[in-house]
Amino acid sequence: KPGHVFNDAFDMVASDSAAFNNRCGTAAAIHGRQATHGQHNRLRAPGSIGAASYPARVFKGMRMAGQTGDKQVTIENLQILKVDAEKNLLVVKGAIPGAKGSYVIVRKWN
């Protein structure tokens, strides 16, 4: 029961995995889902990924297409405004991580 653990005007931390976890293309990963610098025929192309014959490789950490999201996200310094023990509800001021209907880990913040 939340009424036994939490009370009003209480600072907390909420943790969950990020809400969006899917794959995206290079333009979305690098440029944030927009056109790349106004080029008319290479609109969402990644551009250059490295130099020429030297170093003749792609450096580690080069931003490319792949999985996004699905990382552990923790939001600190959230404030509990109200505790409803009968309905098992916490009214929280601030943004809660995760998708709708997902489980969130709630704990006391320092």
Side-chain angles (χ1 to χ4, degrees):
K1 297 278 183 181
H4 298 313
V5 179
F6 300 105
N7 53 12
D8 295 346
F10 186 86
D11 290 337
M12 60 170 253
V13 173
S15 299
D16 194 8
S17 61
F20 302 104
N21 47 358
N22 51 14
R23 298 185 65 81
C24 70
T26 316
I30 296 175
H31 307 292
R33 293 179 170 82
Q34 59 184 332
T36 57
H37 303 292
Q39 298 181 9
H40 67 282
N41 62 348
R42 298 172 295 278
L43 198 61
R44 294 175 61 83
S48 174
I49 62 168
S53 60
Y54 180 79
R57 64 190 179 95
V58 176
F59 290 113
K60 287 185 179 180
M62 181 67 198
R63 294 180 297 177
M64 294 186 179
Q67 181 177 348
T68 61
D70 199 29
K71 293 180 173 61
Q72 186 74 17
V73 177
T74 301
I75 307 295
E76 295 181 339
N77 202 14
L78 296 170
Q79 188 176 22
I80 294 181
L81 300 179
K82 183 179 176 183
V83 176
D84 191 350
E86 294 176 2
K87 296 181 182 178
N88 289 334
L89 293 177
L90 294 174
V91 179
V92 178
K93 180 181 180 181
I96 301 294
K100 291 181 181 178
S102 65
Y103 290 102
V104 177
I105 298 170
V106 177
R107 56 188 164 85
K108 184 178 179 181
W109 187 65
N110 296 342

